[in-house]
Amino acid sequence: MKVFYDKDANLSIVQGCTVAIIGYGSQGHAHANNLKESGVSVVVGLRAGSASEEKVREAGIEVAGIGEATAAADIVMVLAPDEHQSALYAEQIEPNLRQGATLAFAHGFNIHFEQIRPREDLDVIMIAPKGPGHLVRSTYKQGGGVPTLIAVFQDASGKARETALSYASANGGGRAGIIETTFRDETETDLFGEQAVLCGGVTALIEAGFETLIEAGYEPEMAYFECLHELKLIVDLIYEGGISNMNYSVSNTAEYGGLTRGSRVVGDQAREAMKKILADVQSGEFAREWVKENASGAEHLRQLREASQGQSIEKVGAQLRDMMPWIREQRLVDRSRN
Ligand code: NAD
Ligand code: MG
Ligand code: MG
């Protein structure tokens, strides 16, 4: 697999463009600030009365309505929530998009599952940093970046790929490595990863471990440290040097216990469940469910979110983190700013 770096990208392409960033959330704030500091002319497009407006002004970035920002731009990067992009595109973006403009996404969901069918005169590209927006911003500020996927869905100009590389480089991706993929592969692997491993699988593992200790009569504080807090230390070791790096660092007792017991927890049953989850992603079953959930007001999501926030692991965690003020000082998420 070929990896591209800053030296392979022509930064001046995006520096010669006006880029509209639609939405100023996790990814939006990161792209807008990173691009601006890379010498790109940026305008952030927001809904009227958006709570983000003040944050954008404070960052010294131009802000406009979504239609107005779109009309001013050579490149429009859509960083509103996936579930709102289809309506937003039909109502406010497409009618204002210049002929021959570039339409960009950070995730392939709406294009791959045909929730957005872009006009033929447009270049349609993806620049998808493989990390949360807050990390995309913090690594850039430190002089680094987050590995980034790029893809081309539609190449009306014949230059779509060069534009994607240029944008990825301005966003810091070229410092870490840029990999070319397709909308389909990005969408399917991203959805599978967040469901089976990152957001779904790991969370369920933490909760199950925590509850097992609580049910056996151990103190919640102890259960929290063992099953959640220490996970960061383990993940940092794996992130830095792989699984063998982690095993080198932990005790031989921990290594032996882990090697002999891990697959009892995540065994054949979990692998079968993963295959089913992947099949539902590939068939579009998950996409249909998610589109339907939003069409009916996302009530199920609201209930799930509320139940998750009310769990005892979250309450214990909030108290324990108050005892560790350094965690807050180094926090990635500051809801008042990003
Ligand atoms: P987000 O929920 O953090 O932010 C979305 C922003 O869009 C809001 O802050 C607001 O400014 C605006 N917005 C909200 N509702 C809107 C509406 N109805 N109409 C118009 N604007 C609205 O979103 P995000 O997590 O940054 O996701 C943006 C895109 O980036 C998605 O396509 C997502 O899949 C992709 N992505 C996100 C991450 C991540 O770290 N969160 C990582 C990779 C890719
Ligand atoms: Mg995702
Ligand atoms: Mg231990």
Side-chain angles (χ1 to χ4, degrees):
M1 179 173 260
K2 186 157 168 40
V3 182
F4 301 95
Y5 294 95
D6 282 339
K7 64 177 171 46
D8 306 306
N10 180 358
L11 190 58
S12 71
I13 297 173
V14 66
Q15 285 173 330
C17 293
T18 294
V19 177
I21 305 286
I22 309 301
Y24 198 74
S26 178
Q27 287 290 324
H29 93 280
H31 290 228
N33 285 279
N34 292 359
L35 262 60
K36 177 175 165 262
E37 286 168 28
S38 291
V40 180
S41 157
V42 174
V43 51
V44 171
L46 295 177
R47 291 168 293 175
S50 164
S52 308
E53 191 169 330
E54 197 48 42
K55 299 180 196 175
V56 184
R57 287 198 202 288
E58 249 158 57
I61 300 175
E62 197 184 326
V63 55
I66 292 170
E68 200 187 336
T70 300
D74 307 291
I75 301 174
V76 177
M77 171 53 97
V78 186
L79 295 176
D82 293 312
E83 65 275 21
H84 296 304
Q85 290 181 10
S86 173
L88 200 62
Y89 181 77
E91 291 157 18
Q92 297 184 64
I93 298 178
E94 190 168 271
N96 291 294
L97 263 174
R98 292 183 186 171
Q99 278 290 311
T102 295
L103 180 64
F105 297 88
H107 176 42
F109 188 97
N110 283 285
I111 291 290
H112 178 62
F113 292 116
E114 298 181 336
Q115 301 299 304
I116 292 176
R117 291 190 175 88
R119 247 169 36 201
E120 281 179 9
D121 60 288
L122 305 169
D123 281 1
V124 181
I125 60 176
M126 170 167 34
I127 300 97
K130 285 287 96 180
H134 298 92
L135 201 67
V136 174
R137 180 59 185 149
S138 64
T139 51
Y140 181 94
K141 278 202 281 191
Q142 291 157 13
V146 169
T148 296
L149 302 179
I150 59 165
V152 174
F153 175 75
Q154 193 166 286
D155 189 6
S157 71
K159 296 177 194 148
R161 191 164 160 277
E162 293 312 304
T163 307
L165 259 179
S166 181
Y167 184 113
S169 172
N171 198 29
R175 300 162 175 180
I178 302 166
I179 294 166
E180 187 169 4
T181 182
T182 61
F183 271 67
R184 177 185 168 195
D185 283 5
E186 186 278 337
T187 303
E188 293 177 354
T189 55
D190 186 81
L191 292 175
F192 174 79
E194 63 203 19
Q195 292 173 18
V197 181
L198 306 174
C199 311
V202 166
T203 309
L205 189 67
I206 292 171
E207 289 166 358
F210 179 83
E211 283 158 20
T212 301
L213 286 178
I214 300 290
E215 277 165 31
Y218 295 96
E219 293 297 335
E221 290 78 6
M222 304 275 286
Y224 179 88
F225 278 116
E226 285 304 328
C227 300
L228 189 153
H229 180 79
E230 283 196 51
L231 186 65
K232 169 162 171 52
L233 315 175
I234 295 299
V235 169
D236 283 349
L237 290 164
I238 295 174
Y239 179 85
E240 170 187 286
I243 291 166
S244 48
N245 189 64
M246 183 273 289
N247 277 328
Y248 175 79
S249 171
V250 300
S251 68
N252 293 336
T253 314
E255 182 181 8
Y256 177 78
L259 288 170
T260 54
R261 266 64 177 172
S263 60
R264 288 194 203 166
V265 177
V266 181
D268 291 343
Q269 196 201 340
R271 283 168 194 265
E272 281 311 311
M274 285 187 181
K275 281 183 195 155
K276 173 77 171 86
I277 285 170
L278 180 58
D280 285 352
V281 165
Q282 290 169 329
S283 69
E285 184 62 33
F286 172 77
R288 281 188 288 280
E289 178 185 324
W290 179 223
V291 168
K292 197 170 146 222
E293 167 72 9
N294 287 294
S296 61
E299 175 58 18
H300 187 213
L301 173 61
R302 196 194 60 75
Q303 286 168 5
L304 290 168
R305 194 178 273 157
E306 202 174 277
S308 168
Q309 286 164 352
Q311 290 190 103
S312 75
I313 192 168
E314 287 288 272
K315 291 177 186 151
V316 178
Q319 285 163 11
L320 289 177
R321 287 190 298 273
D322 279 344
M323 291 162 49
M324 301 178 279
W326 61 90
I327 295 179
R328 183 168 311 146
E329 278 153 27
Q330 293 167 12
R331 69 193 193 270
L332 296 169
V333 176
D334 175 353
R335 294 186 191 203
S336 70
R337 280 191 309 109
N338 53 29

